[in-house]
Amino acid sequence: VVIFSEITQKDIAKVCKVSRETVTKALQDHPKIARETKARIQAMAEKMGYIPNYYARNLASKKNKTIGIIVPKISHSFHSSVVELIYKYAENHGYNVLPMISFEERRNEIRNIETLMSMRVDGIIANISQETSDNKYFHQLKQRGVPLVFFDRMIESDMISHVATEDRKATCEIVSYGLSKGYSKPAHLAGYSNINIGRERRNGFLDALNKFNIKPNPDWIIEGGFSEELRYENARRLLSLKNRPDLVFCFNDSIAHSVYNAAEESGINIPGELGVIGYGNLALARLIRPKLSTVDLPVDDIARETVRLLLRQIDSPARNNVEHVVLKPDVIIRESCR
Amino acid sequence: VVIFSEITQKDIAKVCKVSRETVTKALQDHPKIARETKARIQAMAEKMGYIPNYYARNLASKKNKTIGIIVPKISHSFHSSVVELIYKYAENHGYNVLPMISFEERRNEIRNIETLMSMRVDGIIANISQETSDNKYFHQLKQRGVPLVFFDRMIESDMISHVATEDRKATCEIVSYGLSKGYSKPAHLAGYSNINIGRERRNGFLDALNKFNIKPNPDWIIEGGFSEELRYENARRLLSLKNRPDLVFCFNDSIAHSVYNAAEESGINIPGELGVIGYGNLALARLIRPKLSTVDLPVDDIARETVRLLLRQIDSPARNNVEHVVLKPDVIIRESCR
DNA sequence: CTGAAAGCGCTTACAG
DNA sequence: CTGAAAGCGCTTACAG
């Protein structure tokens, strides 16, 4: 049986011989409706397969209990994990969540913002695309009074809450560890410096060099290139330099993995001739040999704090409560530099 | 500046000194509005920061151009990849997509279905939870005329379109390969048999045994247990049997990885004393040693076909066009059984 | 305890 | 080319 026409409260009202409004109230378990009437109406609604119209309800009530998440990708374990956790935490607080993907393109990100605005979501959580280099559109959100929290990738701002990690410090720590093990020619396969995480990790790297009185060699710092091909190409380029570095700090573990491949190709031994350090502690870090030293991000804390900051803004919209949470990542020493 | 009140078409109409309806039409670039008026209204809307109300628009127009996706998880690379690709393909066809997560619980899955129904989405794509053993709620969707397509995990039905893979055949092929290499005591760490993929892979395993005239040993078939702990426990249990199998076909690559760990623990050599076969071709399959023989799923094809079947139902709702697409996975022989 | 009134913001024929 | 009318399905005070 195909039910062609949509069943509305009006239909139920007609069958139950009450007014439309009574149906509304019975369905929301309103205290002022007679128990018997309520039961009758609810049973009938169930029987008729009534499902409330989300749009009509939200339009009339002006409540939606919905938050949006914008991420550049979900097919990466960090992103999918955080999105899943945010989804879970937000749902536990009674919110629907709408995940949107920007595919690392600013154009899509803007479209996502607009879609979520048009949906009048109660708040937005965002992790910016690689192409994003200002907060123009996100600031508009704030101007309209839409609660907003950044996590991970962001353009830092006094106006916008965020949950970040101490990347600079963790990087300095792990690179210092490497340098303390006797490596003296450090290179960096870097992230984009327009985005906080690229910049922080780069600065942490430079901090460590500074601590060891090593002058950074510009030839040994290569920015960008995250596709499999580009990662490999950058690694090869680095390793085929006639003045070759003996330690590589990589912006993320995938890049580190490409360095492994390029090193194997060139017959360079890790960690003997080349130390390698990653970032992110992907599953692969424990699987590749030698096991990769890297930095572990507190995924669960990031998700939980992000939701907490957002709900706080939603619950007390009057106060302009911008909060910046900075979480501590874990340095994980394995076998790839010693 | 915080914009407290929402800007509506009425506001624009007042400023532009035209009627509300004219604003509507100007904004949708209606051909019957004077070019000059249109431009004036559009400019003003832009200037005032007008963003249409999604709910009002959908309620009034009865169009939404939105599809929902329900998956049990996104923090697994197969799921996150397929969801991301479906998202992309659907978006390319002009659809918004709403991904929802059931967290492997039927209760959540039902709630997701209801939410999407209340949103009157144009169609739903689903990958069922581990707890789901009938199509009761999904059939209701069909009864209401909501286009629906299953992919990967599903309860097969003549009433519901789906995109599946030839798991049984691929499994038989790869297990036969293992048996042809001299292993003779095959075990199976199996998926749940209430769901197609668990059943198909188990049947493929049995087909292969049958081909080689090997009687399945019930002690060597263990069903379920997907958490890291349970996987490891099952693997240990299997390997500590006094009559130990010499080949294990695993429902997925993660389980195979646990078998590696358990084997290492017990000093059992792979592939010498124990052959291991996985399923899914996760990134880890190439990273662990020996490299894992496994079956690769055509993720991109799955996503594309799923979207295609759904759009077909949306575009011609009158016909009851149930279609079943079955895609061919690739057997990938590496080093874990020989 | 029940219902009539007013409205949410937008769209779609229709008339002029 | 522009606007008045009717409506989408639901909710929220308010009156009785």
Side-chain angles (χ1 to χ4, degrees):
Chain A
V1 186
V2 178
I3 302 173
F4 284 105
S5 66
E6 187 174 302
I7 285 152
T8 67
Q9 295 186 349
K10 201 159 117 189
D11 302 322
I12 300 171
K14 206 183 299 167
V15 177
C16 290
K17 298 193 199 315
V18 291
S19 73
R20 226 143 47 79
E21 296 75 7
T22 304
V23 173
T24 302
K25 285 170 198 157
L27 257 24
Q28 47 192 28
D29 215 13
H30 196 100
K32 293 202 182 162
I33 301 288
R35 264 238 317 270
E36 186 271 336
T37 316
K38 240 192 311 207
R40 209 176 85 234
I41 293 174
Q42 286 170 356
M44 184 53 74
E46 169 86 38
K47 188 174 155 211
M48 295 173 77
Y50 170 73
I51 292 181
N53 184 310
Y54 186 86
Y55 303 120
R57 173 175 285 185
N58 286 353
L59 179 61
S61 74
K62 300 257 166 198
K63 289 178 203 145
N64 21 11
K65 278 284 196 180
T66 303
I67 67 167
I69 308 181
I70 302 174
V71 287
K73 280 271 180 186
I74 59 165
S75 64
H76 280 313
S77 72
F78 174 77
H79 292 124
S80 63
S81 301
V82 179
V83 169
E84 185 166 302
L85 288 163
I86 288 175
Y87 190 103
K88 190 186 77 180
Y89 285 121
E91 212 172 46
N92 288 348
H93 285 278
Y95 283 82
N96 285 324
V97 358
L98 306 174
M100 318 227 110
I101 306 173
S102 69
F103 292 98
E104 299 284 11
E105 289 181 23
R106 178 148 215 238
R107 189 168 48 90
N108 291 330
E109 193 174 81
I110 296 169
R111 207 148 50 87
N112 290 340
I113 293 173
E114 276 171 358
T115 304
L116 292 175
M117 294 282 294
S118 79
M119 289 176 154
R120 305 295 191 262
V121 292
D122 298 304
I124 293 179
I125 287 171
N127 186 339
I128 66 176
S129 86
Q130 246 157 47
E131 291 181 356
T132 305
S133 54
D134 66 72
N135 279 336
K136 188 174 157 203
Y137 292 88
F138 289 109
H139 273 139
Q140 283 184 9
L141 241 35
K142 290 301 288 185
Q143 279 168 13
R144 287 168 188 264
V146 179
L148 170 65
V149 181
F150 283 139
F151 73 96
D152 188 48
R153 276 150 57 163
M154 66 190 77
I155 309 295
E156 282 133 329
S157 157
D158 289 346
M159 308 299 297
I160 302 175
S161 291
H162 71 234
V163 176
T165 46
E166 288 186 329
D167 284 13
R168 181 168 185 165
K169 205 170 140 196
T171 299
C172 177
E173 199 176 316
I174 196 165
V175 172
S176 295
Y177 170 84
L179 293 173
S180 77
K181 289 295 171 183
Y183 300 105
S184 62
K185 297 158 76 177
H188 181 27
L189 291 174
Y192 294 112
S193 48
N194 63 314
I195 297 183
N196 64 321
I197 57 176
R199 198 172 47 246
E200 292 287 301
R201 293 174 199 178
R202 175 190 301 242
N203 285 338
F205 171 77
L206 296 174
D207 288 349
L209 268 59
N210 194 34
K211 243 170 65 182
F212 281 76
N213 287 313
I214 297 173
K215 248 190 76 179
N217 179 341
D219 293 345
W220 293 345
I221 300 186
I222 302 180
E223 176 170 321
F226 295 150
S227 71
E228 191 154 354
E229 296 73 35
L230 285 175
R231 288 186 328 236
Y232 185 70
E233 201 179 301
N234 284 342
R236 266 183 70 100
R237 180 140 69 92
L238 199 61
L239 297 186
S240 59
L241 249 33
K242 57 180 188 294
N243 181 18
R244 200 176 75 200
D246 63 2
L247 178 67
V248 189
F249 166 60
C250 305
F251 173 68
N252 65 39
D253 287 353
S254 303
I255 295 175
H257 186 209
S258 297
V259 172
Y260 274 49
N261 291 335
E264 189 175 7
E265 174 90 3
S266 312
I268 297 173
N269 177 269
I270 300 173
E273 299 169 83
L274 182 71
V276 181
I277 297 170
Y279 208 103
N281 197 25
L282 292 187
L284 71 82
R286 261 168 309 170
L287 299 175
I288 55 182
R289 294 292 178 272
K291 291 180 186 165
L292 181 65
S293 293
T294 186
V295 175
D296 186 58
L297 264 8
V299 180
D300 194 86
D301 293 341
I302 293 173
R304 194 166 14 76
E305 287 298 293
T306 304
V307 171
R308 188 178 65 78
L309 295 198
L310 191 73
L311 293 184
R312 208 153 165 171
Q313 287 181 53
I314 293 174
D315 292 339
S316 51
R319 287 194 291 144
N320 180 20
N321 36 16
V322 173
E323 284 181 88
H324 291 164
V325 170
V326 182
L327 267 16
K328 206 181 144 344
D330 275 336
V331 166
I332 298 187
I333 302 298
R334 294 201 179 96
E335 308 157 349
S336 61
C337 52
R338 66 162 57 128
Chain B
V1 187
V2 178
I3 302 173
F4 284 106
S5 67
E6 187 173 300
I7 285 153
T8 67
Q9 294 187 350
K10 201 158 119 189
D11 302 322
I12 300 172
K14 208 183 300 170
V15 178
C16 290
K17 300 193 198 310
V18 292
S19 72
R20 228 141 46 77
E21 296 75 5
T22 304
V23 173
T24 302
K25 284 170 198 154
L27 258 24
Q28 46 191 30
D29 215 12
H30 197 102
K32 293 204 182 161
I33 302 289
R35 262 237 320 265
E36 186 271 336
T37 316
K38 240 192 313 208
R40 209 176 84 236
I41 293 174
Q42 286 170 356
M44 184 52 74
E46 169 86 37
K47 189 173 153 212
M48 295 173 76
Y50 171 73
I51 293 182
N53 184 310
Y54 186 85
Y55 303 119
R57 174 176 284 185
N58 285 353
L59 180 61
S61 74
K62 301 254 167 200
K63 288 178 204 147
N64 21 11
K65 277 286 195 179
T66 303
I67 67 167
I69 309 181
I70 302 174
V71 286
K73 280 272 182 188
I74 60 165
S75 64
H76 280 313
S77 73
F78 174 76
H79 293 125
S80 63
S81 301
V82 179
V83 168
E84 183 165 304
L85 288 162
I86 288 176
Y87 190 104
K88 189 187 78 181
Y89 285 121
E91 211 171 46
N92 288 348
H93 286 277
Y95 283 83
N96 285 324
V97 359
L98 305 175
M100 317 228 112
I101 306 174
S102 70
F103 292 98
E104 300 284 12
E105 290 181 23
R106 179 150 215 236
R107 189 168 48 92
N108 291 329
E109 193 174 80
I110 295 170
R111 207 149 51 86
N112 290 341
I113 293 174
E114 275 171 358
T115 304
L116 293 175
M117 294 282 294
S118 78
M119 290 176 152
R120 306 297 192 259
V121 292
D122 298 305
I124 293 179
I125 288 172
N127 187 340
I128 66 176
S129 86
Q130 246 157 48
E131 291 181 356
T132 305
S133 54
D134 66 72
N135 279 335
K136 188 173 157 205
Y137 292 87
F138 288 109
H139 273 139
Q140 283 183 9
L141 240 37
K142 289 303 287 184
Q143 279 167 13
R144 287 166 187 267
V146 179
L148 171 65
V149 181
F150 283 139
F151 74 95
D152 188 48
R153 277 150 58 164
M154 65 191 77
I155 310 294
E156 283 133 328
S157 157
D158 289 347
M159 308 299 296
I160 301 174
S161 291
H162 71 234
V163 176
T165 45
E166 288 185 330
D167 284 13
R168 180 169 185 165
K169 204 169 142 198
T171 298
C172 176
E173 199 177 316
I174 196 166
V175 172
S176 296
Y177 171 84
L179 293 174
S180 76
K181 288 294 170 182
Y183 300 105
S184 61
K185 298 157 76 175
H188 181 28
L189 291 174
Y192 294 114
S193 47
N194 63 314
I195 297 183
N196 64 321
I197 57 176
R199 197 170 49 245
E200 292 287 300
R201 293 175 201 178
R202 174 190 300 244
N203 285 338
F205 171 77
L206 296 175
D207 288 350
L209 267 59
N210 193 34
K211 242 171 67 182
F212 282 76
N213 288 314
I214 297 174
K215 246 189 80 179
N217 179 340
D219 293 345
W220 293 345
I221 300 185
I222 302 179
E223 176 169 320
F226 296 150
S227 72
E228 191 155 352
E229 297 73 35
L230 286 175
R231 287 184 331 235
Y232 185 71
E233 201 180 300
N234 284 342
R236 265 181 71 97
R237 181 140 69 91
L238 199 62
L239 298 187
S240 59
L241 250 33
K242 56 180 192 291
N243 181 18
R244 201 176 75 201
D246 63 1
L247 178 67
V248 189
F249 166 60
C250 306
F251 174 67
N252 65 38
D253 286 353
S254 302
I255 294 175
H257 186 209
S258 296
V259 172
Y260 275 48
N261 291 335
E264 190 174 6
E265 175 90 3
S266 313
I268 298 172
N269 176 268
I270 300 172
E273 298 168 84
L274 182 71
V276 181
I277 297 170
Y279 208 101
N281 198 23
L282 294 187
L284 71 83
R286 261 167 310 171
L287 298 174
I288 56 182
R289 293 293 177 272
K291 291 180 186 166
L292 181 65
S293 293
T294 186
V295 175
D296 185 58
L297 265 8
V299 180
D300 195 86
D301 292 342
I302 293 172
R304 194 165 16 74
E305 287 299 293
T306 303
V307 171
R308 188 178 66 77
L309 295 199
L310 191 73
L311 293 184
R312 205 150 168 175
Q313 287 180 53
I314 293 174
D315 293 339
S316 51
R319 286 194 292 145
N320 180 22
N321 36 16
V322 173
E323 284 182 88
H324 293 164
V325 170
V326 182
L327 267 16
K328 206 179 143 348
D330 274 337
V331 166
I332 298 187
I333 302 299
R334 293 201 179 96
E335 307 156 351
S336 61
C337 52
R338 65 161 61 123

